[in-house]
Amino acid sequence: MVSVENISVQFSGEYLFHSVSFKINPSDKIGVVGPNGCGKTTLLKILAKEIEPESGSVNFQKGLNIGYLPQDYISEVIDETLFNEVYKANREIFELESEEKRILDELKISQNKSLIDKLDRIQSRLHQLKPELYKAEAIKVLLGLGFIENDFSRKLSEFSGGWRVRVAIAKLLLSNADLLLLDEPTNHLDFDSLEFLISYLKKFKGALLVISHDTHFLNSVTDKTLGFSFGKVILFNGNAESFYKYQEEQKNQLYLEYKNQQKKIRHIERFIERFRYKATKARQVQSRIKMLEKLDKIEIPDDEETVNFNFDNIPPSGKVVVKLENVSKYYNEKLVLKDINLQVDKGDKIAIVGLNGSGKSTLSKILADKEEISFGRKIYGHNVIIGYYSQNLIEELDLNKTVLETVENIDPEKTQGQVRKLLGCFLFHGDDVFKKVAVLSGGEKSRLVLLKILLQKSNFLILDEPTNHLDRQSKKILQDALIDYDGTLIIVSHDVDFVNPIVNKVIEIKNNSLKLYYGNLDDLIQRRKVEENFENVNSKSLDLKSKEANLNQRKVQRRIEAEKRQKFYSLTKELRKRIEFLENEISRLEEHKKSLEKFFTQPELVPPDRNIFQEYKEISERIDQFVEEWSNLSEEYSRIEKEIFSE
């Protein structure tokens, strides 16, 4: 499908990647991993034909249909309904149906042979494409991504940016693409819609190339990994987790080779130093000097994971951190949370999950004292110091300060060197720390706000989607810090691998209320399965208990069903005869119609006494009449069937 041959890209005089080659085959599912700034997004833009590599070539299979979701996707705000916009994703079906409608409107005015032929071809192709199945699939995708049926008729302009990203994902899934290129598709998804996307991509028949720092997502949908590692890009036959293990083994091997080489270098240097001025050893010394000059020295990459982030000297809070009693929350007249009762104790580490719009962020804001409650009571414990992170807090940053100035005085116990190391953990390297906040991207500002919150001496941390703009190394540093955190933590996140080692409880918000589970997200998933199995077993148990009672009822039921069938047969006998007659007549007339069509291309065969066009028109009109009658009678047949058998 796609062959990438020796492509290279430079940025500010340095190579993002050099001489990269790989192939994408039909049905390949490839995860793209590596630290932020290594060139993953640039590579996807090249494959999406948005930019050209500086050298090398990319060869695409002729007619390849590519679907691309950029990381910074911003949709046009258009005056179209959600469902209509998503339905357009399959361009062929949409354009054929539009053309069919246009031709039918024209044929109402005048019969035109070329239009009739074109209509016949269009309808034949639509029959092959099965638009009714495509419509059902579009509904399934929209519901799976978290939309509800009431959303289908809403204008796109009414949805937030995050929901419009979901619209873009829906369109890509339905676009009949041969190759999907997805750059961080999970950032705007909740727990349930993420699981739906995983399930859908597993069944996707085309090829997939996806950038993500969500290891759970990559492990679930990919079986190959394009890894940016040690300055190289390699295509690894295995998922992300397997690649990271391989990468660790390679790193250990590289360190071992580096250590052995350094030992050899020191040995040679000692020989040179010892015998530099001895004439009898001059030849050996020169030989070893040349040996050092020719030596291909092994370089080891910077290892940012050796930098640790620690929450030092966190002041203790009381045993009960916060308590909600019968709390309800309305936005205008819309109910978001109803009669919530919750107690958060010291040391709790709780994940909040639920569909987008279910109230996760609202609950986190209430707990962080950033949102007023409508009814009920909220009580904080002794000496509770709140640290709250949300991406919306970037608006509070001072745009005139540098990155370093924004955070360097928050924790007086940390030196500037320590602060700069922590900034490195959050992807601000070298001179990046002297950038003005005003020139930072949205993702960079989010990371800066997160570090700012973490540096504060808070004993009650509330983090709303803290990992959206972090790479794997940064997430690992934050994860380790939160595992060791002595305070109390509330975290809103759909990142299963990140959250699981941290939390000991999960709050699921559904239907304006919450349910508290003990354990992590894996435990919640397992609990759901157990509950589903219990319901099934319980249902079977009830069936067994009522089996005897049902035996007698079955005889009665069979008699009633027999009476219904007899009644249905009696009422529809004439209908069935007429429907069968119409079907036979329509088939016969269609054959006759086709036999006339050959005369349009061979007019010399037309008998002089026959008006072929008039005959063709009359047959077409008769077919239309029969089809309309057949449709009405079929509806009547279905109405009677439904009326009798639903009694």
Side-chain angles (χ1 to χ4, degrees), residues 170-357:
K171 290 171 69 176
L172 287 176
L173 297 181
L174 294 164
S175 65
N176 205 25
D178 303 305
L179 170 62
L180 285 180
L181 305 172
L182 307 179
D183 195 344
E184 294 288 359
T186 66
N187 281 354
H188 297 279
L189 301 181
D190 53 51
F191 187 65
D192 287 348
S193 54
L194 173 61
E195 291 302 309
F196 168 79
L197 181 60
I198 287 172
S199 173
Y200 202 93
L201 291 177
K202 279 182 177 180
K203 299 172 186 174
F204 176 60
K205 293 179 181 178
L208 170 69
L209 208 73
V210 56
I211 296 173
S212 180
H213 296 301
D214 188 332
T215 308
H216 167 72
F217 173 68
L218 289 178
N219 287 343
S220 300
V221 301
T222 66
D223 50 26
K224 292 184 180 180
T225 303
L226 197 65
F228 287 67
S229 178
F230 306 126
K232 299 178 182 178
V233 181
I234 63 169
L235 185 59
F236 177 80
N237 191 22
N239 63 19
E241 186 176 4
S242 300
F243 172 75
Y244 292 139
K245 289 178 181 176
Y246 164 81
Q247 190 179 40
E248 188 67 25
E249 291 169 1
Q250 291 296 106
K251 183 176 74 172
N252 292 337
Q253 180 64 30
L254 186 67
Y255 283 168
L256 182 61
E257 291 173 4
Y258 171 79
K259 188 177 178 181
N260 291 335
Q261 188 183 69
Q262 289 298 307
K263 185 178 179 180
K264 181 179 179 181
I265 290 171
R266 286 194 300 271
H267 180 74
I268 295 170
E269 286 175 340
R270 280 198 299 270
F271 182 90
I272 294 170
E273 189 64 31
R274 183 177 178 185
F275 297 109
R276 185 185 295 274
Y277 304 109
K278 285 193 176 184
T280 57
K281 297 286 187 181
R283 184 176 294 175
Q284 291 97 318
V285 168
Q286 287 303 314
S287 173
R288 281 163 174 77
I289 289 172
K290 288 179 181 178
M291 189 185 297
L292 279 181
E293 289 173 351
K294 291 180 181 179
L295 194 65
D296 188 10
K297 291 187 177 179
I298 297 170
E299 295 181 2
I300 58 173
D302 295 332
D303 189 357
E304 292 174 7
E305 290 193 21
T306 58
V307 182
N308 294 317
F309 181 89
N310 296 310
F311 293 96
D312 299 321
N313 303 319
I314 301 296
S317 68
K319 184 178 179 182
V320 176
V321 175
V322 63
K323 195 172 185 180
L324 303 182
E325 296 178 348
N326 299 318
V327 166
S328 295
K329 175 64 184 177
Y330 287 83
Y331 286 114
N332 297 322
E333 295 182 357
K334 184 181 178 183
L335 176 65
V336 180
L337 298 171
K338 181 182 180 182
D339 295 332
I340 298 298
N341 289 287
L342 174 67
Q343 180 170 306
V344 179
D345 295 324
K346 179 183 177 182
D348 275 348
K349 292 182 179 178
I350 305 173
I352 301 178
V353 299
L355 297 175
N356 273 24

Side-chain angles (χ1 to χ4, degrees), residues 367-578:
L367 293 171
D369 210 25
K370 299 291 182 182
E371 190 77 60
E372 294 294 326
I373 60 176
S374 303
F375 299 100
R377 292 179 68 203
K378 177 173 60 177
I379 308 156
Y380 289 101
H382 172 69
N383 197 36
V384 173
I385 305 167
I386 296 171
Y388 171 66
Y389 167 79
S390 164
Q391 192 173 328
N392 297 332
L393 295 177
I394 62 176
E395 298 169 5
E396 298 178 13
L397 290 171
D398 187 338
L399 301 181
N400 295 315
K401 284 187 176 181
T402 66
V403 170
L404 184 59
E405 288 169 345
T406 301
V407 297
E408 65 179 341
N409 295 319
I410 295 175
D411 186 352
E413 295 177 11
K414 284 186 168 51
T415 65
Q416 188 180 96
Q418 289 173 317
V419 171
R420 290 195 64 172
K421 279 187 177 181
L422 291 174
L423 283 166
C425 296
F426 288 82
L427 310 177
F428 295 102
H429 306 290
D431 291 341
D432 289 345
V433 301
F434 302 116
K435 285 182 179 179
K436 293 283 188 183
V437 172
V439 303
L440 300 181
S441 68
E444 288 172 326
K445 288 176 181 174
S446 294
R447 294 198 299 271
L448 185 59
V449 170
L450 178 58
L451 179 57
K452 188 177 174 184
I453 299 301
L454 297 177
L455 284 170
Q456 296 169 357
K457 300 288 187 181
S458 307
N459 54 29
F460 184 28
L461 271 180
I462 301 161
L463 308 178
D464 192 346
E465 296 290 1
T467 65
N468 275 0
H469 300 283
L470 301 182
D471 66 7
R472 180 172 174 265
Q473 289 178 324
S474 302
K475 285 204 294 186
K476 183 68 169 66
I477 291 166
L478 177 59
Q479 185 186 63
D480 289 342
L482 293 175
I483 289 171
D484 294 334
Y485 177 55
D486 288 332
T488 304
L489 174 69
I490 300 286
I491 183 167
V492 179
S493 179
H494 60 263
D495 191 327
V496 176
D497 286 331
F498 176 78
V499 169
N500 270 342
I502 299 171
V503 303
N504 53 20
K505 294 179 183 177
V506 178
I507 290 173
E508 183 178 25
I509 301 181
K510 195 174 183 180
N511 299 327
N512 309 121
S513 61
L514 64 81
K515 192 170 183 179
L516 183 67
Y517 295 88
Y518 287 88
N520 58 22
L521 294 183
D522 278 348
D523 296 320
L524 172 61
I525 294 170
Q526 189 61 35
R527 179 73 177 269
R528 282 179 173 177
K529 289 178 181 177
V530 170
E531 288 177 351
E532 287 174 9
N533 290 337
F534 178 77
E535 287 175 4
N536 291 335
V537 169
N538 196 34
S539 175
K540 288 177 182 177
S541 176
L542 288 174
D543 287 344
L544 287 170
K545 289 180 181 178
S546 59
K547 198 170 184 180
E548 281 188 25
N550 287 339
L551 285 173
N552 291 330
Q553 290 182 6
R554 283 180 191 172
K555 293 180 180 179
V556 175
Q557 188 65 32
R558 280 197 293 269
R559 181 175 55 78
I560 293 172
E561 287 173 359
E563 289 174 355
K564 285 182 177 181
R565 285 194 298 272
Q566 183 63 33
K567 182 180 179 182
F568 176 65
Y569 177 81
S570 176
L571 289 174
T572 59
K573 184 178 179 181
E574 296 303 319
L575 268 179
R576 282 199 312 279
K577 284 183 181 179
R578 182 62 182 172

